[in-house]
Amino acid sequence: MGAAARRAPEQEQSCKATEDFDTAKPPPFRIGDVRAAVPAHCWRKSPLRSLSYLGRLAALLGGAGHPLLGPLRPRPRLWSRELLGQSGTLNSVVGHLLHTFILVPYNGWRISHRTHHQNHGHIDKDESWHPITENVYKELEPSTKKLRFSLPYPLLAFPVYLWYRSPGKNGSHFNPSSDLFSPKERRDVIISTTCWITMIALLIAMACVFGPVPVLKLYGVPYVVFVMWLDLVTYLHHHGHQDLPWYRGEEWSYLRGGLTTVDRDYGWINNIHHDIGTHVIHHLFPQIPHYHLVEATKAARPVLGRYYREPEKSGPLPTHLISILLRSLRVDHFVSDVGDVVFYQTDPSLSGDNWTKNGKHM
């Protein structure tokens, strides 16, 4: 059956097709067509080049200790998988060093992030900022609903997600017995959780020696800003556009799921956090190192056609993202429990009528 036939009846009026183009229809190209458009050299990785970016950023941040530089901290997941070639040992060492420093259990996050990439755009199997279904949403306490879609809570969600995952899912990134992990991955999770505990102990020891206020200023404040920036970036690459479908069942495919991601422009910050704004190609081909993502995106755009959503151009600072975030939090609340192609729906109690009717969240 086609995509339109599998939509929930109540969503026929809000399928969010733009003019004569329905983004929920299967694309006329295959993922192999997109892959063929990417130049061959874009697939080549250089561990030395990757580490040079790490060195450059470390020098820029001066140890990442200044509160004002917190949002410019790296996304170490890029170095530890996409960027450092095929060496599992190098990936593990660098990954643990960088992730432990920012209180992220490396292997737990690595595994769940892999699940996110493998199931992007799938309502039930995606692992990062996926929508909750209407029945799950109705079971949430009113206060939880309000917090979930009211700033600043959504921008502080990452540590909570690491501990408890998302509503409707069980497990923890720290628990080796979580259903996030297979039995053979439990040893890896124990190692990363141990590193995380060691970092917490180190911070407590520093607070005892130097006092809690210096530790909060030099580590706590940058950490909070880092978390808020990470939540903002990851949320807006999967939300904030009026025609983003979500899939389940036979309608989902790796290609269609990847095309639900959105590129964003971060102005002068683009280069500092490794052009992660080129998120569509990053999701379709996570093997491509960050220093080739811009070129690969330009090469693939003619193939993607209207399935590629051109990002709004940023000024020196990406202040335009604030209004996109606010609009999305106002209208993107849940998806239907039925239908294999669904779109976000709005809870009227959390959104004014005028905003819902007139506020297109592009």
Side-chain angles (χ1 to χ4, degrees):
M1 296 179 65
R6 289 180 177 267
R7 288 193 186 110
E10 67 269 20
Q11 291 178 301
E12 292 296 332
Q13 300 300 319
S14 60
C15 67
K16 302 183 180 178
T18 57
E19 299 178 356
D20 60 339
F21 177 68
D22 187 350
T23 58
K25 289 184 177 180
F29 51 84
R30 298 172 300 176
I31 193 167
D33 300 322
V34 186
R35 185 190 303 271
V38 177
H41 68 268
C42 288
W43 302 89
R44 299 185 190 124
K45 302 175 183 177
S46 169
L48 289 179
R49 183 172 181 180
S50 299
L51 289 172
S52 73
Y53 283 96
L54 175 57
R56 183 190 70 175
L57 193 59
L60 174 65
L61 300 186
H66 197 286
L68 296 180
L69 296 180
L72 306 186
R73 284 184 176 181
R75 295 193 62 183
R77 181 77 187 112
L78 290 175
W79 283 310
S80 58
R81 184 193 64 186
E82 287 91 343
L83 307 185
L84 292 178
Q86 308 301 319
S87 172
T89 301
L90 184 59
N91 288 348
S92 183
V93 171
V94 175
H96 275 96
L97 285 174
L98 296 178
H99 286 77
T100 300
F101 180 72
I102 54 176
L103 291 179
V104 176
Y106 169 65
N107 281 318
W109 173 243
R110 171 182 62 82
I111 295 166
S112 72
H113 196 67
R114 179 190 64 199
T115 302
H116 166 54
H117 269 264
Q118 291 174 341
N119 298 279
H120 44 211
H122 196 294
I123 298 167
D124 303 313
K125 297 180 180 180
D126 201 346
E127 185 58 38
S128 177
W129 285 121
H130 60 86
I132 57 177
T133 61
E134 186 171 6
N135 282 339
V136 173
Y137 181 80
K138 288 179 179 178
E139 293 175 357
L140 298 178
E141 295 291 334
S143 58
T144 301
K145 295 177 183 178
K146 187 68 175 177
L147 283 174
R148 183 177 174 87
F149 300 104
S150 300
L151 292 179
Y153 177 78
L155 299 184
L156 299 172
F158 182 59
V160 179
Y161 164 69
L162 290 178
W163 277 103
Y164 302 108
R165 297 177 74 189
S166 301
K169 293 193 174 185
N170 298 317
S172 169
H173 288 74
F174 300 92
N175 184 359
S177 299
S178 170
D179 58 10
L180 265 171
F181 315 119
S182 67
K184 67 179 182 180
E185 293 169 332
R186 290 176 179 173
R187 178 178 176 273
D188 293 336
V189 176
I190 291 173
I191 292 173
S192 295
T193 300
T194 301
C195 290
W196 185 90
I197 293 173
T198 302
M199 184 65 193
I200 290 291
L202 178 61
L203 290 172
I204 294 174
M206 292 177 64
C208 292
V209 174
F210 301 106
V213 173
V215 173
L216 286 173
K217 288 174 59 178
L218 295 178
Y219 187 90
V221 173
Y223 173 77
V224 171
V225 178
F226 154 72
V227 166
M228 295 179 72
W229 180 254
L230 178 66
D231 280 328
L232 172 69
V233 168
T234 53
Y235 180 88
L236 288 180
H237 282 305
H238 300 277
H239 295 79
H241 206 282
Q242 69 172 4
D243 63 348
L244 292 179
W246 288 82
Y247 302 100
R248 60 164 66 94
E250 295 180 358
E251 292 293 348
W252 181 88
S253 70
Y254 182 83
L255 174 60
R256 295 177 75 182
L259 294 176
T260 66
T261 58
V262 182
D263 280 7
R264 298 293 183 189
D265 183 12
Y266 299 101
W268 67 274
I269 301 177
N270 281 328
N271 185 254
I272 291 179
H273 67 18
H274 320 300
D275 295 308
I276 199 59
T278 51
H279 215 68
V280 177
I281 292 300
H282 169 65
H283 257 265
L284 290 177
F285 308 115
Q287 308 92 333
I288 297 178
H290 78 90
Y291 38 82
H292 292 316
L293 281 174
V294 172
E295 182 181 359
T297 297
K298 290 179 180 178
R301 278 166 61 184
V303 178
L304 299 176
R306 296 181 69 177
Y307 287 87
Y308 179 80
R309 301 163 182 86
E310 195 72 35
E312 180 180 345
K313 293 299 181 183
S314 173
L317 291 174
T319 54
H320 67 290
L321 297 178
I322 299 175
S323 60
I324 296 175
L325 173 67
L326 292 175
R327 286 195 293 270
S328 179
L329 293 176
R330 194 72 178 266
V331 298
D332 294 338
H333 296 153
F334 59 85
V335 297
S336 174
D337 292 277
V338 297
D340 285 358
V341 182
V342 296
F343 294 85
Y344 266 109
Q345 298 182 42
T346 302
D347 180 352
S349 68
L350 297 181
S351 177
D353 288 341
N354 290 335
W355 191 301
T356 304
K357 294 177 181 178
N358 302 323
K360 291 184 177 181
H361 43 304
M362 294 291 290

